C-alpha cells in the first residue's frame, strides 16, 4: 500500500528557532499534500493544502509566514515552523493524495512529528 | 461542508461487534462518506469509504441508508488492538478532510 513518511519523528527545540519537517510519499506521486496539527486529546486540524509547484493554501487562522510550506516535487513537501514558541508544541501530521490512484479521495497519512518547543 | 456527529466514546469486549453510527444530515448529493482510525501518537489510517447501501472490506463494513443522512461503521469481532479513535468524515469535492472529535472505542479483555 501507499506509504507516507515524516522526518523527524520527534524534535525538541529552543524558543525562537525554526524547525523543518519533511513529508515524503514513498511509492506514489502525491498530487496534493495536506498538513495537520493535533494538540493532546484533540482532533486533527487542517493547516494547509499543498500542491506541487504552487503556493500552499492556508486555512483560516493559520499564519502563512509562520508555517512555511514548500512542495517542491511530487514526493516531497516540507513544513517549516519559523521562530517557534512553546504554544507551537504539537503533533504535526501530513497526508498525501494520489490523484491517479484507485481511490482519489483516500489520503495516506504520515506517522506524525512531535514538536516540543522549550 | 457537511458536519458529522458521532458518539464521544464506546466500550466493548473482545470478540464483540462494534457499531458506530454517525449523523451527517447536511450531506450533499455528490459527497462520499469515509472512516479513519487513529491510534495514539500515529497518523490516521483509512478504513472504508462508501456512497450508499453497504460496503465491506477485510476490516469493516459500512452501512448507509437510502437517505444518506447517517452511516454506521461495523467492526466485527473486535480485539484489544482495535482500541482507537474512529473518525467519520464526509468527503467534499476539494478533498479537504474536516475531522470532528471522533469516537474513542475501548476494547476490554
Amino acid at each position: 500500500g501507499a506509504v507516507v513518511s515524516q522526518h523527524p519523528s520527534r524534535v525538541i527545540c529552543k524558543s525562537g528557532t525554526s524547525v523543518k519537517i519533511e513529508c515524503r510519499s514513498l511509492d506514489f506521486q502525491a498530487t496534493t499534500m495536506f498538513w495537520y496539527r493535533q494538540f493532546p486529546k484533540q482532533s486533527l486540524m487542517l493547516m494547509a493544502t499543498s500542491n506541487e509547484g504552487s503556493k500552499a493554501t492556508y486555512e483560516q487562522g493559520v499564519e502563512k509566514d509562520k508555517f512555511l510550506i514548500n512542495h517542491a516535487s511530487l514526493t516531497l513537501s516540507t513544513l517549516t515552523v519559523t521562530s517557534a514558541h512553546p504554544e507551537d508544541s504539537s503533533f504535526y501530521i501530513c497526508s498525501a493524495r494520489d490523484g491517479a490512484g484507485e481511490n482519489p479521495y483516500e489520503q495516506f497519512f504520515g506517522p506524525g512529528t512531535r514538536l516540543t518547543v522549550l | 461542508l457537511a458536519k458529522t456527529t458521532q458518539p464521544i466514546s464506546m466500550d466493548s469486549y473482545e470478540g464483540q461487534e462494534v457499531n458506530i453510527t454517525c449523523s451527517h444530515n447536511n450531506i450533499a448529493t455528490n459527497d462520499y462518506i469515509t472512516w479513519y482510525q487513529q491510534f495514539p501518537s500515529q497518523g490516521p489510517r483509512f478504513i472504508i469509504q462508501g456512497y450508499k447501501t453497504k460496503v465491506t472490506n477485510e476490516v469493516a463494513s459500512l452501512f448507509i441508508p437510502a437517505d444518506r443522512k447517517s452511516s454506521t461503521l461495523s467492526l466485527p469481532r473486535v480485539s484489544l488492538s482495535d482500541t482507537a479513535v474512529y473518525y467519520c468524515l464526509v468527503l467534499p469535492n476539494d478533498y479537504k478532510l474536516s475531522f470532528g472529535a471522533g469516537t474513542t472505542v475501548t476494547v476490554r479483555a
Side-chain angles (χ1 to χ4, degrees):
Chain A
V3 179
V4 174
S5 70
Q6 280 185 242
H7 178 79
S9 59
R10 186 181 296 268
V11 58
I12 301 172
C13 69
K14 291 183 178 179
S15 186
T17 61
S18 295
V19 174
K20 180 186 283 189
I21 303 170
E22 292 186 350
C23 176
R24 293 181 185 272
S25 56
L26 299 185
D27 50 4
F28 67 98
Q29 294 188 324
T31 314
T32 310
M33 285 183 167
F34 302 87
W35 286 95
Y36 297 83
R37 181 166 54 179
Q38 185 174 33
F39 293 107
K41 304 291 186 185
Q42 294 187 25
S43 187
L44 287 81
M45 288 186 56
L46 179 65
M47 299 175 68
T49 303
S50 169
N51 291 294
E52 185 263 341
S54 62
K55 287 185 178 180
T57 305
Y58 291 81
E59 295 300 303
Q60 194 171 11
V62 178
E63 300 175 58
K64 61 180 172 64
D65 294 330
K66 180 167 183 64
F67 299 99
L68 301 178
I69 292 173
N70 184 283
H71 193 159
S73 76
L74 282 171
T75 60
L76 173 65
S77 176
T78 60
L79 167 68
T80 301
V81 183
T82 61
S83 187
H85 288 94
E87 58 265 30
D88 297 322
S89 298
S90 188
F91 192 50
Y92 291 86
I93 310 170
C94 72
S95 71
R97 188 180 74 85
D98 180 0
E102 201 173 299
N103 180 1
Y105 285 104
E106 183 175 352
Q107 288 187 25
F108 303 97
F109 284 81
T113 296
R114 177 77 58 192
L115 170 63
T116 303
V117 185
L118 303 176
Chain B
L1 190 68
K3 182 180 173 177
T4 60
T5 303
Q6 53 184 120
I8 295 296
S9 63
M10 294 182 75
D11 288 344
S12 184
Y13 290 93
E14 283 190 290
Q16 290 188 334
E17 178 182 82
V18 171
N19 296 307
I20 309 171
T21 297
C22 175
S23 297
H24 27 78
N25 292 316
N26 297 325
I27 192 169
T29 304
N30 297 327
D31 289 343
Y32 278 75
I33 300 146
T34 189
W35 287 77
Y36 280 78
Q37 174 193 54
Q38 186 183 26
F39 297 112
S41 297
Q42 293 187 28
R45 183 177 72 104
F46 173 87
I47 300 175
I48 199 165
Q49 176 180 311
Y51 182 79
K52 62 180 179 180
T53 61
K54 177 183 175 182
V55 180
T56 298
N57 61 23
E58 63 277 5
V59 177
S61 294
L62 179 60
F63 300 91
I64 305 169
D67 66 6
R68 302 197 335 115
K69 293 185 184 299
S70 67
S71 60
T72 299
L73 174 73
S74 181
L75 306 172
R77 297 179 298 282
V78 294
S79 63
L80 295 175
S81 61
D82 292 316
T83 294
V85 179
Y86 293 82
Y87 297 98
C88 163
L89 301 102
V90 171
L91 294 171
N93 290 334
D94 61 5
Y95 306 107
K96 292 183 181 181
L97 297 181
S98 179
F99 284 82
T103 298
T104 299
V105 173
T106 302
V107 180
R108 306 181 194 280

